[in-house]
Amino acid sequence: MFDLETNKDAARRLIEVFNCRRLDLLEDVQFRGRGMSAFAPDESEVGPGARRKLYEMFYEAIPDARGQVLDVVAEGDKVVLVDRFGGTHRGEFLGRPGTGDHIEWKAMHIYTIRDGKILEDAYIRDELAIMQQLGPVPST
């Protein structure tokens, strides 16, 4: 049987770790990212350092980045988390140089969690909103 509240807490904890810049707490996260987005990497990062590498990329591109959990639902070994990320775009992000502008987007993650460990993050983010804010796609 799965402890749904424990699984939801594990997913929420990733946002707290991100916001507090406590990358040392990611060492035991066995992670495999599986993006369902236009800008997902060709090959997913796997292992304890994969999440850390992702967060470091965000901190470099958006040094004041913050995440906010909007909704969490759990069933079995899956946790669906909807979040909002944003901050000041200072460095290269998705191939675009820093603009100095505030950018913000929403994402949905489907985490697979077993024995309190996050094994996979299948995510989709609002790429249109990101591209409109970075400039290559005009806003409507």
Side-chain angles (χ1 to χ4, degrees):
M1 194 50 144
F2 300 100
D3 183 341
L4 300 181
E5 290 307 312
T6 299
N7 285 354
K8 290 195 294 189
D9 287 344
R12 283 188 197 103
R13 198 166 31 257
L14 285 177
I15 300 290
E16 293 169 24
V17 166
F18 181 86
N19 287 342
C20 295
R21 302 333 195 227
R22 290 293 313 272
L23 300 183
D24 57 303
L25 299 176
L26 294 174
E27 295 309 316
D28 68 341
V29 175
Q30 296 296 319
F31 177 77
R32 179 175 164 265
R34 185 168 51 93
M36 299 179 282
S37 301
F39 298 102
D42 292 332
E43 294 185 29
S44 64
E45 294 279 337
V46 178
R51 195 65 169 203
R52 180 185 193 104
K53 187 174 177 180
L54 175 69
Y55 285 3
E56 288 171 342
M57 180 274 303
F58 274 111
Y59 298 153
E60 193 170 307
I62 308 167
D64 61 347
R66 304 263 317 149
Q68 176 187 13
V69 175
L70 302 176
D71 201 5
V72 183
V73 178
E75 176 78 26
D77 68 348
K78 303 286 189 221
V79 174
V80 177
L81 185 141
V82 178
D83 58 32
R84 177 182 313 143
F85 274 92
T88 309
H89 179 217
R90 301 257 182 233
E92 184 177 326
F93 183 57
L94 300 176
R96 304 294 296 180
T99 61
D101 294 334
H102 179 83
I103 61 173
E104 186 175 286
W105 68 92
K106 291 181 183 174
M108 182 177 67
H109 304 263
I110 303 171
Y111 293 110
T112 302
I113 302 175
R114 291 196 191 104
D115 300 322
K117 294 191 184 280
I118 297 174
L119 303 178
E120 183 175 69
D121 177 9
Y123 65 89
I124 187 164
R125 62 183 172 218
D126 187 349
E127 313 246 319
L128 178 59
I130 294 170
M131 289 296 103
Q132 286 175 329
Q133 294 172 77
L134 296 182
V137 174
S139 296
T140 56

PDB file of all heavy atoms in Angstrom, residues 22 102 114 127:
ATOM      1  N   ARG A  22      18.952  24.424  -1.303  1.00  0.00           N
ATOM      2  CA  ARG A  22      19.574  23.367  -0.494  1.00  0.00           C
ATOM      3  C   ARG A  22      19.852  22.146  -1.371  1.00  0.00           C
ATOM      4  O   ARG A  22      19.293  21.070  -1.163  1.00  0.00           O
ATOM      5  CB  ARG A  22      18.653  22.981   0.674  1.00  0.00           C
ATOM      6  CG  ARG A  22      18.506  24.019   1.747  1.00  0.00           C
ATOM      7  CD  ARG A  22      19.804  24.244   2.531  1.00  0.00           C
ATOM      8  NE  ARG A  22      20.471  23.021   2.958  1.00  0.00           N
ATOM      9  CZ  ARG A  22      20.227  22.365   4.099  1.00  0.00           C
ATOM     10  NH1 ARG A  22      19.343  22.827   4.934  1.00  0.00           N
ATOM     11  NH2 ARG A  22      20.876  21.255   4.385  1.00  0.00           N
ATOM     12  N   HIS A 102      11.297  39.861 -15.979  1.00  0.00           N
ATOM     13  CA  HIS A 102      10.681  38.819 -15.156  1.00  0.00           C
ATOM     14  C   HIS A 102       9.958  37.858 -16.099  1.00  0.00           C
ATOM     15  O   HIS A 102       9.236  38.298 -17.008  1.00  0.00           O
ATOM     16  CB  HIS A 102       9.684  39.427 -14.168  1.00  0.00           C
ATOM     17  CG  HIS A 102       9.016  38.395 -13.319  1.00  0.00           C
ATOM     18  ND1 HIS A 102       9.597  37.888 -12.190  1.00  0.00           N
ATOM     19  CD2 HIS A 102       7.825  37.757 -13.454  1.00  0.00           C
ATOM     20  CE1 HIS A 102       8.792  36.977 -11.647  1.00  0.00           C
ATOM     21  NE2 HIS A 102       7.709  36.890 -12.398  1.00  0.00           N
ATOM     22  N   ARG A 114       8.536   5.792  -4.978  1.00  0.00           N
ATOM     23  CA  ARG A 114       8.499   4.494  -4.287  1.00  0.00           C
ATOM     24  C   ARG A 114       9.400   4.558  -3.080  1.00  0.00           C
ATOM     25  O   ARG A 114      10.527   5.049  -3.170  1.00  0.00           O
ATOM     26  CB  ARG A 114       8.953   3.383  -5.225  1.00  0.00           C
ATOM     27  CG  ARG A 114       7.948   3.129  -6.329  1.00  0.00           C
ATOM     28  CD  ARG A 114       8.150   1.810  -7.033  1.00  0.00           C
ATOM     29  NE  ARG A 114       7.308   1.799  -8.214  1.00  0.00           N
ATOM     30  CZ  ARG A 114       7.756   1.977  -9.446  1.00  0.00           C
ATOM     31  NH1 ARG A 114       9.032   2.127  -9.679  1.00  0.00           N
ATOM     32  NH2 ARG A 114       6.919   1.969 -10.467  1.00  0.00           N
ATOM     33  N   GLU A 127       5.419  26.018 -22.568  1.00  0.00           N
ATOM     34  CA  GLU A 127       6.497  26.508 -23.415  1.00  0.00           C
ATOM     35  C   GLU A 127       6.082  27.736 -24.224  1.00  0.00           C
ATOM     36  O   GLU A 127       6.912  28.605 -24.479  1.00  0.00           O
ATOM     37  CB  GLU A 127       6.936  25.394 -24.356  1.00  0.00           C
ATOM     38  CG  GLU A 127       7.116  24.106 -23.598  1.00  0.00           C
ATOM     39  CD  GLU A 127       8.532  23.631 -23.566  1.00  0.00           C
ATOM     40  OE1 GLU A 127       9.177  23.727 -24.597  1.00  0.00           O
ATOM     41  OE2 GLU A 127       8.966  23.160 -22.511  1.00  0.00           O
TER      42      GLU A 127
END
